[in-house]
Structures are given as C-alpha cells and as structure tokens.
C-alpha cells in the first residue's frame, strides 16, 4: 500500500507586487528580473496575516478537498523557515486553528525542499500503518525576512501556502520513490543573517540547483523502475525559470510537461511545489494515473525529489 495525496489546496495573499512596482523601490528593472529569473510578479501578505494564517487557509481547504474533516487528521507537519515565532511551532498553532484532535504536530526546517521532506515523513507513518491521514503544509511568509534594500534577493521571493492530506491510496498510485539529501558545507551560500534577513550567494546556489535538480529527478525515476519517457509531468521548485529549464532538459520533457508558476508567485520556498500542483490540477494538466516528478532544493543545503502516480 502506497501513501498518496487525498486532497490538496493553496492559499496566496491578495496583494500583487509586480516587477514594475519594485522598479520604484530599488535599482532594478522588469527586464532584468524577467530575463534572469522568469518572475513577473509575486504575492505579499499583509501585516495581519502571518505564516500560521496562510497555513490554516490552505489546510482547511485541503482537508475539505480530501472529503475529510479536521477530526480525521492523525498528524500535522508544517514545512517552513518563516514560522510566526521560533516556538510554539506553526504545526501546533495549526492544530488549534483547525480544531484538530490533539495529534502529533511539528515543523520541518528544510527550506525550499521542505514540502518534499514533509511528504516523505508522512509516507513513513502511513505506510507502516501508524497513522492514516497526515496533513503536510508548505508555507512561507518570506516578506518578513526579505532585505528590501538588497536587489540581489528582494526581487526573488513571495508569500504563500500549499497543503496536502496524505493517506493510503489504491493500486499502484501514490509515492513510488523518493530521494532526500543535505550538504551542510553549502549552508554559507543561503541563510538568515543575524539581522534576520536572507543572504544568498546566487551564483553558487544556482550551480548547485542545476546539478541537483537534474540528478535527483533522474534518481527517483530510476528508483521507481521507470524511464524518462514514463514521466507525464515535472513539478520543480519554482525559484528560477533557468534552473527549472535545466531539469526539464535533463528529463527530455517538452515544455508543456513542466509546471511553471514562478512568473505569478516568485519563489515561495516550501510552498512552491504544492501551489504549482494545485494550479496544474485546475488547468487539467495533471490527471489520474499520471506519473509526476516533484523536485526541490534550498538552503541547508537541502534537496528532495518524489516520483508519484497521481490519484486516490
Ligand atoms: O529557493 C532557493 C533559492 N535560490 C535560488 O534558487 C537562486 C539561485 N540563483 C539565481 O537564481 C541567480 O543566481 C540570480 C537570479 C539570483 C542571479 O542571476 P545571475 O544570472 O546569477 O546574476 P549574477 O548574480 O551573476 O548578477 C549579475 C548582475 C550583477 O551585476 P554586476 O556585478 O555584473 O555589475 C548584479 O549586481 O546583475 C546584478 N543584479 C541585478 N540587477 C538588476 C543582481 N540583482 C539585480 C536586480 N536587478 N534585481
């Protein structure tokens, strides 16, 4: 029996900040941002909406989409590097907001690979029969830790949340294989500073990402006993269109088989993969029994990939 996705949903804040808006605030241009990253706009949460609020909006909808209630959730995992506060965890706040049972709840810190770490953790509990329904949320309010005076990073990020309920699925559907990894020696390339803002050595992270996205994608396909031709859809972490394109080319996939939401939301870290899945489902691009490969990388350094056959 495999663990799979029973219901999934997203939440993005209403406020849209375009590249042209950023031109007015810093020395940058719409042209530079578009050509170097593929980003056209991003969503920024209001002051009154914190990470746990966005997590709640997405989670509530995901539970509904799974035809379940909060009472049915046996564990809550929240992947985030921008919690409301260091503790209590966003997962505990979410347990309360949802009115869920007093179940196990914890945050996972794996930056942009966090949703992959969350899904794989959920899979272990489900496939051993320990828990039936695990809520996994990827959520970030990166605007809280953005240095708005640093054009190298400020143009890249956005706020948002994606949530999925994982549980047992039928036949050969669900998670087929996964890979998780880390390399702490690269932590110096992407971190939160003492001043509580993001520092990034873009070029180093770029090189790592191009290498790792391709490699991990190929590895999960092989581990699942599949071939590149069997992949119906690639859902890469949405950091930079050029990094995403390199992964797509490595899998020899046509452009229409890769999810692209980076132009609308920027880099939403742990939220980018679930947000993208929701958008592709809405567009009818992911269907039952499609093989999808999800792959993420981020600060840590961390990475994670999953091959999954869609459907309940
Ligand atoms: O979720 C994981 C997190 N991070 C990532 O995935 C990011 C990975 N890295 C990247 O996506 C790219 O490295 C960036 C988009 C961050 C930068 O693109 P790049 O092609 O690697 O540019 P660069 O860092 O080599 O900078 C080129 C130039 C520099 O000017 P000089 O030194 O050549 O005169 C920068 O100062 O572009 C300049 N620049 C900007 N110009 C206008 C940097 N940011 C901006 C900006 N607007 N916002």
């Amino acid at each position: 029996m495999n663990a799979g996705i029973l219901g999934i949903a997203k939440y993005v804040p209403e406020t849209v900040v375009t590249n042209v808006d950023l031109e007015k605030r810093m020395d940058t241009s719409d042209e530079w941002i578009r050509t170097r990253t593929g980003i056209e706009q991003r969503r920024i949460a209001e002051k009154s909406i914190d990470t746990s609020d966005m997590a709640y909006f997405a989670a509530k909808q995901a539970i509904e989409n799974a035809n379940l209630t909060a009472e049915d959730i046996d564990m809550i995992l929240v992947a985030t590097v921008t919690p409301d506060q260091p503790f209590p965890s966003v997962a505990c706040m979410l347990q309360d907001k949802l009115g869920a049972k007093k179940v196990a709840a914890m945050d996972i810190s794996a930056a942009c690979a966090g949703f992959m770490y969350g899904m794989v953790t959920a899979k272990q509990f489900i496939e051993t029969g320990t828990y039936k329904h695990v809520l996994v949320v990827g959520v970030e309010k990166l605007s809280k830790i953005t240095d708005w005076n640093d054009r190298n990073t400020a143009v890249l990020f956005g706020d948002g949340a994606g949530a999925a309920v994982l549980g047992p699925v039928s036949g050969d559907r669900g998670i087929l294989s996964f890979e998780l990894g880390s390399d702490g020696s690269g932590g110096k390339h992407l971190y939160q500073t003492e001043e509580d803002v993001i520092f990034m050595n873009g070029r180093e992270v770029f090189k790592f990402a191009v290498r790792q996205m391709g490699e991990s994608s190929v590895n999960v396909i092989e581990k699942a006993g599949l071939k590149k031709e069997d992949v119906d859809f690639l859902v890469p972490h949405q950091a930079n269109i050029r990094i995403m394109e390199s992964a797509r080319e490595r899998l020899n996939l046509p452009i229409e088989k890769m999810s692209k939401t980076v132009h609308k939301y920027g880099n939403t870290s742990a939220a980018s993969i679930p947000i993208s899945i929701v958008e592709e489902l809405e567009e009818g691009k992911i269907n039952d029994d499609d093989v999808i490969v999800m792959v993420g990388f981020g600060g840590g350094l961390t990475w994670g990939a999953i091959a999954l056959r869609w459907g309940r």
Side-chain angles (χ1 to χ4, degrees):
M1 177 263 288
N2 287 342
I5 293 179
L6 304 178
I8 186 163
K10 73 169 201 287
Y11 169 82
V12 290
E14 271 169 37
T15 305
V16 175
V17 175
T18 65
N19 293 348
V20 176
D21 294 330
L22 291 182
E23 280 179 355
K24 294 171 198 145
R25 289 172 72 166
M26 63 188 78
D27 180 19
T28 190
S29 67
D30 175 44
E31 207 261 331
W32 190 96
I33 303 170
R34 271 175 204 261
T35 53
R36 295 298 180 109
T37 72
I39 298 166
E40 294 169 18
Q41 58 180 52
R42 71 284 295 140
R43 302 294 181 101
I44 301 293
E46 294 165 38
K47 228 180 155 103
S48 62
I49 301 206
D50 213 334
T51 303
S52 63
D53 301 305
M54 293 194 285
Y56 169 68
F57 299 142
K60 192 169 177 288
Q61 191 60 52
I63 293 168
E64 222 174 282
N65 293 352
N67 299 322
L68 297 170
T69 69
E71 290 269 300
D72 299 312
I73 300 301
D74 302 309
M75 183 184 213
I76 301 172
L77 301 171
V78 176
T80 187
V81 292
T82 50
D84 298 36
Q85 53 203 76
F87 67 92
S89 65
V90 175
C92 284
M93 294 177 175
L94 190 54
Q95 181 274 331
D96 183 46
K97 282 179 198 275
L98 286 168
K101 288 180 302 193
K102 292 177 180 161
V103 297
M106 66 175 172
D107 287 359
I108 292 176
S109 176
C112 308
F115 194 74
M116 297 295 90
Y117 271 73
M119 280 190 62
V120 171
T121 306
K123 166 188 157 71
Q124 310 307 320
F125 285 100
I126 294 161
E127 293 182 7
T128 51
T130 312
Y131 295 133
K132 192 161 182 204
H133 300 126
V134 182
L135 174 64
V136 182
V137 183
V139 55
E140 301 291 1
K141 189 177 179 184
L142 290 162
S143 59
K144 278 198 297 198
I145 58 164
T146 298
D147 179 354
W148 293 103
N149 297 314
D150 178 13
R151 68 175 184 173
N152 290 295
T153 54
V155 302
L156 304 176
F157 301 107
D159 300 335
V165 179
L166 272 70
V169 291
S170 58
D172 59 355
R173 292 173 173 177
I175 297 175
L176 307 173
S177 64
F178 71 88
E179 173 176 286
L180 298 178
S182 72
D183 176 6
S185 72
K188 58 182 179 285
H189 300 314
L190 178 54
Y191 61 90
Q192 185 168 333
T193 66
E194 276 177 25
E195 294 76 31
D196 284 336
V197 291
I198 300 167
F199 167 85
M200 183 171 69
N201 179 340
R203 271 183 212 177
E204 284 301 321
V205 177
F206 191 94
K207 279 191 285 182
F208 153 71
V210 165
R211 191 181 63 242
Q212 200 59 53
M213 293 272 269
E215 224 167 271
S216 294
S217 303
V218 169
N219 288 347
V220 292
I221 293 167
E222 279 173 9
K223 279 187 192 175
L226 299 170
K227 297 198 177 67
K228 287 179 187 173
E229 309 83 86
D230 299 322
V231 177
D232 294 298
F233 214 72
L234 173 67
V235 187
H237 169 47
Q238 309 278 314
N240 183 320
I241 188 70
R242 292 183 291 145
I243 298 171
M244 293 155 54
E245 280 295 325
S246 76
R248 181 178 71 75
E249 280 161 19
R250 184 89 188 261
L251 299 188
N252 304 326
L253 284 175
I255 199 153
E256 63 276 10
K257 289 195 171 187
M258 181 182 77
S259 177
K260 185 187 139 211
T261 59
V262 68
H263 59 299
K264 289 162 78 175
Y265 304 121
N267 179 351
T268 58
S269 185
S272 91
I273 291 176
I275 287 176
S276 296
I277 292 175
V278 171
E279 298 249 321
E280 303 307 347
L281 285 167
E282 283 168 2
E283 304 238 325
K285 290 199 195 151
I286 296 177
N287 296 292
D288 277 357
D289 294 312
D290 282 352
V291 171
I292 69 170
V293 170
M294 299 166 247
V295 59
F297 66 93
L301 301 168
T302 56
W303 59 90
I306 290 175
L308 174 144
R309 197 183 302 280
W310 192 261
R312 300 182 49 150

